[in-house]
Amino acid sequence: NDMLMAMLIAVGMVYIVMVIAFREGRAPLAVLFSLPFALIGGLAGTMIAREPISVSSLIGFLMLIGIVVTNAIVLVERVQQQIEHGLSIREALLEAGGTRLRPILMTAIATICALTPLAIGLGGGSIISSGLAVVVIGGLASSTILTLVVVPVMYELLYFKRSRKQRTAAIPAAAEAAA
């Protein structure tokens, strides 16, 4: 119960920090949509590795909150920058997905590789820490892939009115340019 409360407090604190950083509430909400996929991946990793849910695996779930949110922040921050430079929401999402794909994948793969020896039982404290490593690897693998899809979709849905207005304004402009 205490670890669950710690995770809820961590999510709340992460959201508050992102609201302060982004100066609004919708973009951080899009970032938080990556968290359920980390939870699902962490549970799947635990089941695949046949690890019990322990205090160390719960600490792994707590770590995932920070790790997964960081990847989504990198993506959303690039989207915000491109919108400030005049791109539409959809164009900014497509550009951010392309330019931030490599750094997001590199950090996720590096973290997974670093935790693999611990997950397979190599090293001194692997009996205690393998649950943590399995949770982080599973959660990071699933959330990284899904973050690149779900966060942009949720971002556009949260800004749907503005995005639709930009798309409808672009249709007459494209027709005039073609004529």
Side-chain angles (χ1 to χ4, degrees):
N1 287 337
D2 290 341
M3 286 301 290
L4 180 62
M5 184 59 71
M7 287 183 227
L8 291 174
I9 290 170
V11 170
M13 291 173 63
V14 165
Y15 181 73
I16 289 168
V17 168
M18 285 191 299
V19 166
I20 292 168
F22 285 119
R23 295 183 209 94
E24 55 124 349
R26 286 188 284 185
L29 196 57
V31 169
L32 290 182
F33 273 98
S34 62
L35 289 178
F37 302 107
L39 176 68
I40 292 166
L43 289 173
T46 301
M47 288 179 10
I48 291 168
R50 296 185 181 173
E51 284 283 333
I53 299 291
S54 63
V55 173
S56 66
S57 62
L58 292 175
I59 292 170
F61 282 112
L62 190 58
M63 288 174 56
L64 271 176
I65 293 169
I67 296 168
V68 169
V69 164
T70 303
N71 283 341
I73 288 172
V74 167
L75 183 67
V76 170
E77 178 64 30
R78 180 66 178 196
V79 170
Q80 299 275 3
Q81 289 173 353
Q82 294 305 316
I83 290 171
E84 288 174 9
H85 290 322
L87 268 64
S88 70
I89 290 174
R90 185 160 294 170
E91 291 168 338
L93 287 167
L94 291 171
E95 192 278 337
T99 58
R100 294 298 185 225
L101 173 66
R102 185 171 176 223
I104 289 171
L105 288 177
M106 285 172 50
T107 57
I109 291 168
T111 305
I112 289 169
C113 290
L115 289 172
T116 299
L118 195 60
I120 60 175
L122 301 176
S126 63
I127 294 172
I128 296 171
S129 302
S130 63
L132 179 144
V134 165
V135 166
V136 173
I137 289 170
L140 195 54
S142 67
S143 69
T144 299
I145 295 165
L146 294 171
T147 293
L148 296 168
V149 176
V150 173
V151 170
V153 168
M154 291 311 302
Y155 189 94
E156 188 160 15
L157 286 175
L158 289 169
Y159 290 93
F160 182 73
K161 287 182 182 179
R162 187 188 325 167
S163 179
R164 184 176 57 189
K165 190 183 299 183
Q166 289 172 345
R167 286 192 313 271
T168 56
I171 292 172
E176 285 179 23

